[in-house]
Amino acid sequence: MWQHAPMPDTPPPPVRRGPGRPGYDQETVLRRAVELFNRQGYDATSMGDLARELGLTKSAIYHHVSAKSDLLAQALDEALGALEAVIARAGADDHRSAYERLRATVSGSVEVLIAHLPAVTLLLRVRGNSEVELAALERRRRIDDDFAAMVAAAVDEGALRTDLPPDLISRFLFGMVNSLAEWVRPEGRYDATVIAASLTTMVFDGLARDGRAG
Amino acid sequence: MWQHAPMPDTPPPPVRRGPGRPGYDQETVLRRAVELFNRQGYDATSMGDLARELGLTKSAIYHHVSAKSDLLAQALDEALGALEAVIARAGADDHRSAYERLRATVSGSVEVLIAHLPAVTLLLRVRGNSEVELAALERRRRIDDDFAAMVAAAVDEGALRTDLPPDLISRFLFGMVNSLAEWVRPEGRYDATVIAASLTTMVFDGLARDGRAG
């Protein structure tokens, strides 16, 4: 789950590739762009801002990036692809109960959120202002539907308590996972596996010590 | 908890008070301003925008509002005051255990968030760009501290499970409650008491049916 290195505090120096002009590999350009989008908003960021961020001239930036929306599309695809993989992995395991698949999906979503924090943060802010954003929202909606179906399957199996409306359960779980983007930092006190395990334990097993009545 | 009426879909017509000039009471001005701030961002909203929203001229708006920051301060005070009251009420009840006080605070915070949704939404977006915002962040920090102290007291009492770090519990609970602002709507399917009770049951008692092993 930790394929992507955590964001360093200071950006790495640009790779020099010609006399006086910094060169960047595509991954570095993408990472720096996503940081900038998250800092000042995608819509408010111009190609000129991006050039300044990378220490390039306004014309040199086009050697690296054909359009701002390409970077957005790549970042959203990174986040969505990682979330879809969690759902697909859980669905592929026939030996597990619906309940176990749901737990694995919640835990896996937390790990993906932390491993791909900048891209997921960008995804969570998408409001549908362009074709790229609308397509991402549509993919996100399918993930939501798959997730809601998993909750329903766990309810049908009799594994979940019956006094909570299943659609509220889906909303709560999504909200809970997504809210981590507000405060989790890669250099934070707890690593992703501890956060994922703790959140999953809280929502499925409850904070109250066993035997305590609600 | 439901002192404030839910936002109507269509704004009420302005009260006419002079020939041709719409007059508004202070509460209506505040409510419409907060809606506008949430829609297009506080920093991006000018007094001219607010005048337009209210159908007033740029000079007439100053009969109603001396400064944009006054409206922000009032809205943030509404949200913070309501949250502080939940904490104070829980703290005042000596007959209850720390665990019961914590549960009541979580549930009460959900009800406050829904009852004061526009003001709380504004509060959650405050980033500290002015004196008013910094003061609000400071008050919010005190609420967070009081809440963390309640979690610690419930841990000390032996009421909470011991395999989760208490500071993560505080973060999770805050994130969970705050995430409701992303999707709860006053005209939604479930009323505030159902949402508050369901969320509280999930986080304290867990989604899993009793007797199921994690």
Side-chain angles (χ1 to χ4, degrees), chain A residues 84-207:
Chain A
E84 286 161 353
V86 169
I87 302 250
R89 251 196 316 277
D93 191 345
D94 290 340
H95 299 291
R96 291 194 290 182
S97 65
Y99 174 78
E100 287 163 334
R101 287 200 293 266
L102 179 64
R103 266 189 95 117
T105 302
V106 170
S107 175
S109 301
V110 173
E111 298 200 28
V112 158
L113 178 138
I114 299 172
H116 300 270
L117 190 58
V120 174
T121 300
L122 194 59
L123 175 66
L124 293 175
R125 292 177 184 175
V126 156
R127 288 295 172 262
N129 296 337
S130 65
E131 284 303 308
V132 167
E133 295 190 29
L134 287 171
L137 285 180
E138 181 54 37
R139 256 172 98 180
R140 197 176 153 192
R141 211 167 294 124
R142 277 200 296 274
I143 295 173
D144 285 19
D145 290 347
D146 288 347
F147 189 77
M150 272 195 206
V151 171
V155 169
D156 289 348
E157 196 181 70
L160 299 192
R161 51 189 316 132
T162 53
D163 53 350
L164 305 186
D167 54 340
L168 275 188
I169 294 176
S170 292
R171 291 282 205 177
F172 289 161
L173 291 177
F174 255 107
M176 172 97 254
V177 173
N178 293 345
S179 72
L180 300 180
E182 296 290 321
W183 63 269
V184 166
R185 293 297 164 260
E187 70 284 5
R189 187 164 181 179
Y190 300 104
D191 76 16
T193 50
V194 171
I195 296 173
S198 299
L199 185 142
T200 306
T201 297
M202 179 178 89
V203 296
F204 287 98
D205 304 325
L207 287 176

Side-chain angles (χ1 to χ4, degrees), chain B residues 24-147:
Chain B
Y24 292 97
D25 59 68
Q26 283 304 306
E27 202 181 305
T28 303
V29 170
L30 180 60
R31 187 175 52 71
R32 298 279 292 272
V34 171
E35 285 169 29
L36 187 63
F37 295 158
N38 282 333
R39 207 158 66 231
Q40 67 180 39
Y42 173 76
D43 291 327
T45 301
S46 66
M47 285 291 270
D49 294 335
L50 191 52
R52 223 176 354 263
E53 176 79 6
L54 292 164
L56 296 167
T57 63
K58 255 185 140 172
S59 64
I61 184 76
Y62 288 94
H63 292 281
H64 296 277
V65 181
S66 57
K68 192 175 76 148
S69 61
D70 283 355
L71 296 172
L72 179 66
Q74 283 174 55
L76 297 180
D77 183 61
E78 175 193 323
L80 289 161
L83 284 168
E84 286 161 353
V86 168
I87 302 250
R89 251 197 315 279
D93 190 346
D94 290 340
H95 299 289
R96 290 194 290 182
S97 64
Y99 175 77
E100 287 164 334
R101 287 201 292 268
L102 179 63
R103 267 190 95 116
T105 301
V106 170
S107 176
S109 301
V110 173
E111 298 202 27
V112 158
L113 178 138
I114 299 173
H116 300 270
L117 189 58
V120 174
T121 300
L122 194 59
L123 174 65
L124 294 175
R125 292 178 185 173
V126 156
R127 290 292 172 263
N129 298 336
S130 65
E131 283 303 308
V132 167
E133 295 189 29
L134 287 170
L137 286 180
E138 181 52 38
R139 255 172 98 181
R140 197 176 152 193
R141 211 166 293 125
R142 278 200 297 274
I143 294 172
D144 286 18
D145 290 346
D146 288 345
F147 189 77

